[in-house]
Amino acid sequence: AQSVTQPDIHITVSEGASLELRCNYSYGATPYLFWYVQSPGQGLQLLLKYFSGDTLVQGIKGFEAEFKRSQSSFNLRKPSVHWSDAAEYFCAVGPYGGNEKLTFGTGTRLTIIP
Amino acid sequence: SAVISQKPSRDICQRGTSLTIQCQVDSQVTMMFWYRQQPGQSLTLIATANQGSEATYESGFVIDKFPISRPNLTFSTLTVSNMSPEDSSIYLCSVEETADSPLHFGNGTRLTVT
Protein backbone atom coordinates (compact mmCIF):
# COMPACT_ATOMS: atom_id res chain seq x y z
CA ALA A 1 0.00 0.00 0.00
CA GLN A 2 1.18 3.50 -0.71
CA SER A 3 1.91 5.91 2.11
CA VAL A 4 3.38 9.32 2.82
CA THR A 5 5.25 10.31 5.97
CA GLN A 6 5.91 13.88 6.99
CA PRO A 7 8.01 13.42 10.12
CA ASP A 8 7.78 16.99 11.33
CA ILE A 9 4.39 18.03 12.68
CA HIS A 10 5.47 21.60 13.39
CA ILE A 11 8.51 23.61 12.36
CA THR A 12 9.46 27.13 13.44
CA VAL A 13 11.98 29.18 11.48
CA SER A 14 13.06 32.77 11.52
CA GLU A 15 12.13 35.04 8.66
CA GLY A 16 14.94 35.02 6.11
CA ALA A 17 16.24 31.63 7.19
CA SER A 18 16.33 28.59 4.94
CA LEU A 19 13.68 25.88 5.12
CA GLU A 20 13.51 22.17 4.44
CA LEU A 21 10.33 20.15 4.93
CA ARG A 22 10.71 16.41 4.83
CA CYS A 23 8.57 13.94 2.93
CA ASN A 24 9.14 10.21 2.65
CA TYR A 25 6.91 7.98 0.59
CA SER A 26 6.22 4.34 -0.06
CA TYR A 27 5.01 3.48 -3.52
CA GLY A 28 5.33 0.34 -5.62
CA ALA A 29 5.76 1.95 -9.01
CA THR A 30 6.94 5.26 -10.41
CA PRO A 31 5.41 7.85 -8.11
CA TYR A 32 3.72 11.10 -9.03
CA LEU A 33 4.65 13.48 -6.21
CA PHE A 34 3.16 16.77 -5.10
CA TRP A 35 3.55 19.49 -2.53
CA TYR A 36 0.53 21.57 -1.58
CA VAL A 37 0.24 24.52 0.79
CA GLN A 38 -2.82 25.41 2.85
CA SER A 39 -3.00 28.89 4.34
CA PRO A 40 -5.39 29.46 7.25
CA GLY A 41 -9.01 29.30 6.11
CA GLN A 42 -8.03 28.41 2.58
CA GLY A 43 -8.03 25.35 0.38
CA LEU A 44 -4.90 23.64 -0.88
CA GLN A 45 -2.70 25.33 -3.47
CA LEU A 46 -0.32 23.32 -5.63
CA LEU A 47 3.30 24.35 -5.09
CA LEU A 48 4.98 21.87 -7.40
CA LYS A 49 4.83 18.36 -8.83
CA TYR A 50 7.20 15.71 -10.07
CA PHE A 51 6.83 12.64 -12.22
CA SER A 52 9.90 12.40 -14.40
CA GLY A 53 12.84 14.38 -15.72
CA ASP A 54 15.13 16.60 -13.70
CA THR A 55 14.92 15.47 -10.08
CA LEU A 56 15.11 19.04 -8.83
CA VAL A 57 11.80 20.76 -9.57
CA GLN A 58 10.97 24.39 -9.21
CA GLY A 59 7.61 25.56 -7.99
CA ILE A 60 5.76 28.71 -7.22
CA LYS A 61 6.65 31.20 -4.46
CA GLY A 62 10.36 30.33 -4.66
CA PHE A 63 9.97 26.73 -3.50
CA GLU A 64 11.81 23.75 -4.91
CA ALA A 65 11.81 20.04 -4.19
CA GLU A 66 14.28 17.27 -4.88
CA PHE A 67 13.25 13.71 -5.73
CA LYS A 68 15.63 11.09 -4.37
CA ARG A 69 14.55 7.64 -5.43
CA SER A 70 17.21 5.87 -3.35
CA GLN A 71 15.89 7.54 -0.19
CA SER A 72 12.20 7.53 -1.19
CA SER A 73 12.14 11.20 -0.38
CA PHE A 74 10.76 14.36 -1.89
CA ASN A 75 11.83 17.18 0.42
CA LEU A 76 10.64 20.74 -0.05
CA ARG A 77 13.10 23.62 0.27
CA LYS A 78 13.20 27.37 0.22
CA PRO A 79 16.41 29.39 0.62
CA SER A 80 14.83 32.31 2.47
CA VAL A 81 11.37 32.21 4.03
CA HIS A 82 8.97 35.11 4.24
CA TRP A 83 6.34 35.71 6.92
CA SER A 84 3.67 34.92 4.31
CA ASP A 85 5.00 31.35 4.04
CA ALA A 86 3.43 30.50 7.39
CA ALA A 87 0.94 27.75 6.54
CA GLU A 88 0.36 23.99 6.51
CA TYR A 89 2.27 21.99 3.92
CA PHE A 90 1.14 18.65 2.55
CA CYS A 91 3.08 16.11 0.54
CA ALA A 92 1.13 13.67 -1.64
CA VAL A 93 1.90 10.61 -3.76
CA GLY A 94 -0.06 8.69 -6.32
CA PRO A 95 -0.05 7.19 -9.77
CA TYR A 96 0.25 9.33 -12.86
CA GLY A 97 -3.25 10.01 -14.12
CA GLY A 98 -4.84 8.58 -11.01
CA ASN A 99 -5.82 11.49 -8.80
CA GLU A 100 -8.49 9.38 -7.11
CA LYS A 101 -5.66 7.29 -5.68
CA LEU A 102 -3.65 10.14 -4.16
CA THR A 103 -2.42 9.69 -0.62
CA PHE A 104 -1.69 12.80 1.42
CA GLY A 105 0.68 13.13 4.33
CA THR A 106 -0.47 14.46 7.68
CA GLY A 107 1.05 17.85 7.02
CA THR A 108 3.74 20.07 8.52
CA ARG A 109 2.72 23.35 10.11
CA LEU A 110 5.23 26.11 9.48
CA THR A 111 5.52 29.05 11.84
CA ILE A 112 7.69 32.05 10.96
CA ILE A 113 9.16 34.22 13.69
CA PRO A 114 10.43 37.76 13.06
CA SER B 1 -6.08 26.98 -13.77
CA ALA B 2 -9.76 26.53 -12.99
CA VAL B 3 -11.37 28.83 -10.46
CA ILE B 4 -13.34 26.84 -7.90
CA SER B 5 -16.07 28.47 -5.82
CA GLN B 6 -17.28 26.52 -2.82
CA LYS B 7 -20.25 27.55 -0.70
CA PRO B 8 -20.83 27.98 2.17
CA SER B 9 -17.35 28.77 3.45
CA ARG B 10 -18.40 27.82 6.95
CA ASP B 11 -21.48 26.81 8.87
CA ILE B 12 -22.56 25.79 12.35
CA CYS B 13 -25.29 23.16 12.34
CA GLN B 14 -27.29 21.26 14.89
CA ARG B 15 -27.01 17.51 15.13
CA GLY B 16 -29.58 15.58 13.15
CA THR B 17 -29.79 18.18 10.39
CA SER B 18 -28.28 18.11 6.90
CA LEU B 19 -26.08 20.55 5.01
CA THR B 20 -25.53 20.77 1.26
CA ILE B 21 -22.21 22.13 0.03
CA GLN B 22 -21.92 23.49 -3.48
CA CYS B 23 -18.89 23.47 -5.75
CA GLN B 24 -18.89 25.56 -8.93
CA VAL B 25 -16.03 25.59 -11.44
CA ASP B 26 -15.55 28.28 -14.06
CA SER B 27 -14.70 25.75 -16.78
CA GLN B 28 -15.57 22.19 -17.70
CA VAL B 29 -13.45 19.64 -15.87
CA THR B 30 -13.04 15.92 -16.30
CA MET B 31 -13.13 14.88 -12.66
CA MET B 32 -14.52 16.32 -9.43
CA PHE B 33 -13.74 14.97 -5.99
CA TRP B 34 -14.87 15.57 -2.43
CA TYR B 35 -12.43 15.36 0.47
CA ARG B 36 -12.76 15.55 4.23
CA GLN B 37 -10.10 17.09 6.45
CA GLN B 38 -10.74 16.33 10.09
CA PRO B 39 -9.18 18.56 12.74
CA GLY B 40 -5.43 18.08 12.85
CA GLN B 41 -5.51 15.39 10.20
CA SER B 42 -4.79 15.01 6.53
CA LEU B 43 -7.15 14.78 3.62
CA THR B 44 -9.35 11.76 3.08
CA LEU B 45 -11.14 11.17 -0.19
CA ILE B 46 -14.89 10.76 0.30
CA ALA B 47 -15.93 10.12 -3.28
CA THR B 48 -15.51 10.87 -6.94
CA ALA B 49 -18.44 12.83 -8.35
CA ASN B 50 -19.35 11.35 -11.70
CA GLN B 51 -21.21 13.43 -14.23
CA GLY B 52 -24.62 11.99 -14.95
CA SER B 53 -24.23 8.91 -12.78
CA GLU B 54 -23.85 7.83 -9.18
CA ALA B 55 -20.73 8.89 -7.32
CA THR B 56 -17.97 6.42 -6.55
CA TYR B 57 -17.47 6.22 -2.78
CA GLU B 58 -14.32 5.28 -0.92
CA SER B 59 -14.24 2.69 1.79
CA GLY B 60 -15.95 3.99 4.91
CA PHE B 61 -18.22 6.44 3.14
CA VAL B 62 -21.76 5.68 1.98
CA ILE B 63 -24.27 7.38 -0.23
CA ASP B 64 -26.94 7.63 2.46
CA LYS B 65 -24.65 9.71 4.64
CA PHE B 66 -22.92 11.71 1.89
CA PRO B 67 -25.18 11.98 -1.15
CA ILE B 68 -23.44 13.65 -4.08
CA SER B 69 -24.75 15.15 -7.26
CA ARG B 70 -22.97 16.20 -10.42
CA PRO B 71 -25.50 17.33 -13.00
CA ASN B 72 -22.92 18.76 -15.41
CA LEU B 73 -19.19 19.24 -15.97
CA THR B 74 -18.91 22.40 -13.86
CA PHE B 75 -21.02 21.79 -10.75
CA SER B 76 -21.33 19.34 -7.90
CA THR B 77 -22.92 19.17 -4.47
CA LEU B 78 -22.11 17.17 -1.36
CA THR B 79 -24.72 16.73 1.35
CA VAL B 80 -23.74 15.76 4.87
CA SER B 81 -26.83 14.04 6.24
CA ASN B 82 -28.10 13.48 9.76
CA MET B 83 -25.07 15.24 11.17
CA SER B 84 -23.33 14.45 14.43
CA PRO B 85 -20.43 16.25 16.12
CA GLU B 86 -18.06 13.70 14.55
CA ASP B 87 -18.89 15.23 11.16
CA SER B 88 -17.22 18.49 12.20
CA SER B 89 -14.52 18.89 9.56
CA ILE B 90 -13.40 20.87 6.59
CA TYR B 91 -14.95 19.57 3.38
CA LEU B 92 -13.03 20.29 0.21
CA CYS B 93 -14.03 20.14 -3.42
CA SER B 94 -11.25 19.42 -5.88
CA VAL B 95 -11.08 19.13 -9.64
CA GLU B 96 -8.94 17.61 -12.32
CA GLU B 97 -9.08 19.87 -15.34
CA THR B 98 -7.77 17.37 -17.85
CA ALA B 99 -6.62 13.79 -17.65
CA ASP B 100 -3.30 13.55 -15.81
CA SER B 101 -3.36 17.13 -14.53
CA PRO B 102 -2.87 17.70 -10.79
CA LEU B 103 -5.74 18.42 -8.45
CA HIS B 104 -6.90 21.93 -7.73
CA PHE B 105 -8.90 22.67 -4.61
CA GLY B 106 -11.64 25.00 -3.53
CA ASN B 107 -11.29 26.99 -0.31
CA GLY B 108 -13.27 24.44 1.63
CA THR B 109 -16.31 24.47 3.90
CA ARG B 110 -15.62 24.51 7.62
CA LEU B 111 -18.46 22.64 9.29
CA THR B 112 -19.11 22.61 13.00
CA VAL B 113 -21.85 20.37 14.35
CA THR B 114 -23.17 21.13 17.82
Side-chain angles (χ1 to χ4, degrees), chain A:
Chain A
Q2 64 194 53
S3 65
V4 177
T5 301
Q6 293 181 249
D8 304 306
I9 296 173
H10 185 204
I11 285 181
T12 300
V13 300
S14 299
E15 189 168 15
S18 63
L19 171 71
E20 182 168 27
L21 302 182
R22 294 183 291 166
C23 172
N24 292 98
Y25 67 89
S26 174
Y27 193 74
T30 303
Y32 197 5
L33 293 154
F34 307 85
W35 275 99
Y36 284 88
V37 59
Q38 185 178 34
S39 299
Q42 302 292 312
L44 276 72
Q45 181 182 21
L46 179 68
L47 285 176
L48 47 78
K49 63 185 187 292
Y50 174 79
F51 180 69
S52 64
D54 191 343
T55 56
L56 184 63
V57 293
Q58 303 297 319
I60 63 171
K61 304 185 179 187
F63 285 92
E64 65 179 27
E66 186 170 13
F67 171 64
K68 293 185 177 180
R69 184 185 299 276
S70 61
Q71 298 178 19
S72 297
S73 69
F74 189 56
N75 294 348
L76 182 71
R77 302 195 294 249
K78 186 169 184 177
S80 175
V81 298
H82 186 262
W83 63 266
S84 60
D85 293 324
E88 187 97 20
Y89 291 80
F90 292 93
C91 182
V93 67
Y96 189 76
N99 280 316
E100 70 278 10
K101 299 181 179 66
L102 273 188
T103 297
F104 287 83
T106 50
T108 296
R109 184 161 60 94
L110 176 64
T111 298
I112 308 295
I113 56 176

Side-chain angles (χ1 to χ4, degrees), chain A residues 32 34 36 38 40-46 49 88 90-91 96-102 104-107, chain B residues 10 31 33 35 37 40-43 45 48 58 90 92 96 99-108 110:
Chain A
Y32 197 5
F34 307 85
Y36 284 88
Q38 185 178 34
Q42 302 292 312
L44 276 72
Q45 181 182 21
L46 179 68
K49 63 185 187 292
E88 187 97 20
F90 292 93
C91 182
Y96 189 76
N99 280 316
E100 70 278 10
K101 299 181 179 66
L102 273 188
F104 287 83
T106 50
Chain B
R10 58 178 62 233
M31 305 283 276
F33 304 93
Y35 281 84
Q37 186 180 19
Q41 297 189 29
S42 188
L43 282 75
L45 180 63
T48 302
E58 298 300 306
I90 299 173
L92 293 152
E96 178 187 284
D100 305 335
S101 64
L103 290 180
H104 294 281
F105 288 82
N107 284 340
R110 184 179 295 273

